[in-house]
Amino acid sequence: MRKRVGAFSFVVLVGLLSVSMGAIQSINVNYIDSSYTAAGGALTLSDAADVVVEDTSGNQTTYANGSFTMATTLASDLSAGGLAYGSFTGGSLDFWDSGANSLLSGNVQTLNLTEVFNNMGILAGEGQFVVTGGSLAGDFALPFGDIVQITFQVSPPTLSDFSADFKGISNLTITPVPEPATIGLFTLG
């Protein structure tokens, strides 16, 4: 009886490993037109872009001439000492291929942006979203994704808070949130 239990455990472990191989590691879009409107606190990223999907094996698939949009709203301006810092909540994000087929869609839960250097016009941030659909949704074992890196080169470059409008160019990287079983496997070695 013990051999069967051990064999079953081994099969389950191998099954989990094979599901993890080739899963999405990250989705990237670069050079996205972005704008912030102080009246209402609306942050919008929307542009045609190559959507680059990298899997855990390091293979990349590029969806040329795709598009990306994200819209969220300022929940609180926590700027201090001349450095802009804002916390955004709500809204949506969507990735499409060139045929307008949904690759990934989700609802923005949080997005925190901070000015990296005073008066240099660079904002950076991170956040989280809930996956709601798209052909890549199945690669998100949990319905959560992380916005692990978002950067803005803004104009005008002299931000001190979120009380004025700005435009910019953004780069964005998202990743799936690992499921607890995957985290346990990484812990085991």
Side-chain angles (χ1 to χ4, degrees):
M1 184 69 167
R2 286 188 185 170
K3 288 183 180 180
R4 286 186 186 181
V5 172
F8 180 75
S9 298
F10 178 75
V11 171
V12 171
L13 181 60
V14 170
L16 286 173
L17 288 173
S18 66
V19 169
S20 298
M21 301 292 188
I24 290 176
Q25 178 172 310
S26 66
I27 301 175
N28 300 286
V29 291
N30 294 315
Y31 309 112
I32 303 295
D33 286 337
S34 307
S35 64
Y36 172 76
T37 305
L43 177 66
T44 306
L45 290 72
S46 183
D47 206 349
D50 290 347
V51 178
V52 180
V53 179
E54 184 173 349
D55 69 21
T56 54
S57 301
N59 299 316
Q60 292 185 346
T61 302
T62 300
Y63 296 90
N65 302 313
S67 61
F68 173 76
T69 63
M70 183 172 81
T72 188
T73 305
L74 183 68
S76 54
D77 186 348
L78 304 170
S79 304
L83 291 174
Y85 179 83
S87 179
F88 294 78
T89 59
S92 62
L93 62 82
D94 294 286
F95 296 85
W96 293 284
D97 66 13
S98 61
N101 299 303
S102 175
L103 296 172
L104 188 69
S105 59
N107 295 323
V108 176
Q109 298 297 296
T110 61
L111 178 65
N112 298 310
L113 293 177
T114 189
E115 188 175 13
V116 178
F117 302 105
N118 198 12
N119 296 322
M120 296 294 283
I122 300 172
L123 293 174
E126 50 77 33
Q128 192 171 56
F129 66 97
V130 176
V131 176
T132 58
S135 61
L136 301 176
D139 285 312
F140 287 73
L142 298 178
F144 297 105
D146 283 330
I147 301 168
V148 293
Q149 179 180 348
I150 185 168
T151 58
F152 295 83
Q153 180 69 43
V154 299
S155 178
T158 53
L159 292 178
S160 58
D161 57 26
F162 287 89
S163 64
D165 296 354
F166 63 80
K167 292 188 180 294
I169 300 295
S170 303
N171 300 321
L172 175 82
T173 300
I174 67 164
T175 62
V177 172
E179 62 182 313
T182 305
I183 293 170
L185 288 174
F186 288 131
T187 304
L188 291 174

